[in-house]
Amino acid sequence: MTYGKKDLPFPYDQDFSGIVTRVKGVREATRVALINSPKVASYLKAGANLIEQHFGGDEPAAAAAAAESGRKPYWSGIRFLSERALSREMENLEPPFLRQKGDGPYRSTWACHDDYLNDLLAFIFHDMNYDPQYNAEIETRGSWVSTDASFVDVVDRATYHELQTICRMPLFRLQLLMVATAHRNDGIHDAISSNYEGALDPWKKIYESTIAARGFQLREGITLDQFTNMLAAITEGFAIRNLGDPSAGVLGDGPPDNLAGMAVLAILNSYLEPVGTTSGTTLRESFGDISDRARPTDGTDDGTDDDCGGPT
């Protein structure tokens, strides 16, 4: 049976124009057809499989690859995406993806391995790839976020599952590696920016609807975009800490005890206010006033004797 592009699973059935940009072809029509061919999609699938095997946590394939190379995975960065490994993976793809043997089909598609890697990373970090890996909408984005009785319990539960979800995502682990090693002006940052767009847009809508449903509004001095980015940074920061030091207790003993939930509650307490009770001040102004009032005043000597044996 012959399979076409439309037979491939999401996101491999999508239009790769503007994502895959480095395939070979003298004529423009040839290149356009190749970009959206099952062949290119299959090579991207093979590369995605290798990434998942190496960054997917305790996958047996990752351990086997490390043992075969004699090195720890983090020593080699993304060197596991070698032409040889890619060829082996292509031979084992399941339909509807194409199986290819040898490096002939590969070399006829990309002029060099770097071109393939650039196209692969642009695809992997495209926002179309976020939700298939995330796969935790019910645990973190369900209707219960707006309807459950206790908003505090909602925050605890959502942050707890969100931490666990992104910690197990190969995409998040790969992103950490890329961000840490890419040059400041490297094009990979554009791809990662696209990934953030896919990740944060749903959350922005959820924050907006949940804030309104709970009878709150953002206080003066903060926008919804800023609010969304702050919560994302908090969650990712705790995820990195949890990956690097699982004994730190980031997840605690359950949702009410997770550190990300505590931090998010602090953000909500600082930047949300009940509708109809607008303070008219920014958090900076409000805390500035509080800190001024809380500062101890300097004591002065009024010349009176104390009870410690002074002159009479």
Side-chain angles (χ1 to χ4, degrees), residues 18-19 27 114 156 167 172-173 181 193 208 216 220 225 247 252 259 278 299:
I19 302 173
R27 301 174 61 182
D114 281 354
D156 289 339
C167 281
F172 179 65
R173 297 175 183 229
T181 57
S193 177
E208 185 174 29
F216 287 103
E220 187 77 20
D225 283 340
S247 65
L259 298 185
T278 303

Side-chain angles (χ1 to χ4, degrees), residues 26-309:
V26 177
R27 301 174 61 182
E28 181 65 18
T30 302
R31 295 182 68 257
V32 170
L34 187 57
I35 286 170
N36 279 309
S37 67
K39 178 182 178 182
V40 164
S42 297
Y43 273 108
L44 295 178
K45 172 61 174 174
N49 285 353
L50 291 173
I51 289 172
E52 184 171 354
Q53 291 164 14
H54 281 260
F55 289 106
D58 299 325
E59 293 288 339
E68 179 183 343
S69 66
R71 294 182 172 185
K72 299 292 186 183
Y74 55 79
W75 286 355
S76 56
I78 61 170
R79 291 180 186 173
F80 63 86
L81 288 168
S82 65
E83 291 185 42
R84 180 179 299 178
L86 187 63
S87 294
R88 286 198 302 265
E89 191 65 29
M90 283 294 294
E91 293 177 5
N92 295 315
L93 287 182
E94 296 293 335
F97 293 99
L98 299 181
R99 285 185 176 179
Q100 302 280 355
K101 290 189 176 182
D103 59 4
Y106 175 75
R107 294 185 181 278
S108 69
T109 307
W110 285 275
C112 63
H113 194 52
D114 281 354
D115 283 349
Y116 168 75
L117 290 178
N118 281 320
D119 278 346
L120 173 65
L121 292 174
F123 165 72
I124 290 294
F125 284 118
H126 194 276
D127 58 18
M128 72 173 70
N129 265 306
Y130 187 84
D131 279 346
Q133 281 203 25
Y134 184 76
N135 197 29
E137 287 79 5
I138 295 177
E139 293 87 350
T140 62
R141 302 176 183 171
S143 59
W144 56 271
V145 173
S146 295
T147 59
D148 272 19
S150 172
F151 196 11
V152 172
D153 289 344
V154 164
V155 172
D156 289 339
R157 177 181 167 187
T159 53
Y160 182 75
H161 288 293
E162 177 74 1
L163 271 177
Q164 292 180 310
T165 297
I166 65 175
C167 281
R168 67 172 177 257
M169 288 176 66
L171 187 61
F172 179 65
R173 297 175 183 229
L174 178 64
Q175 177 178 304
L176 295 179
L177 175 66
M178 293 292 98
V179 169
T181 57
H183 188 272
R184 183 177 182 86
N185 297 319
D186 197 303
I188 193 63
H189 292 293
D190 293 333
I192 292 175
S193 177
S194 172
N195 181 254
Y196 270 117
E197 183 177 348
L200 296 185
D201 274 356
W203 279 113
K204 191 187 304 183
K205 295 174 183 176
I206 289 171
Y207 293 151
E208 185 174 29
S209 61
T210 301
I211 289 171
R214 295 285 179 178
F216 287 103
Q217 63 188 12
L218 290 173
R219 72 179 302 155
E220 187 77 20
I222 187 171
T223 66
L224 184 61
D225 283 340
Q226 291 172 324
F227 183 79
T228 302
N229 278 315
M230 283 195 296
L231 294 185
I234 286 174
T235 305
E236 288 193 347
F238 279 114
I240 293 171
R241 180 65 192 281
N242 187 55
L243 286 172
D245 184 9
S247 65
V250 170
L251 287 171
D253 295 324
D257 197 37
N258 87 86
L259 298 185
M262 296 180 187
V264 169
L265 283 175
I267 292 291
L268 300 185
N269 187 57
S270 298
Y271 284 108
L272 297 186
E273 55 187 13
V275 173
T277 60
T278 303
S279 65
T281 62
T282 66
L283 178 63
R284 181 183 180 87
E285 293 167 342
S286 176
F287 188 74
D289 291 340
I290 293 173
S291 63
D292 288 342
R293 293 196 302 269
R295 181 188 302 167
T297 57
D298 294 333
T300 56
D301 185 2
D302 60 4
T304 60
D305 296 335
D306 57 24
D307 296 328
C308 297

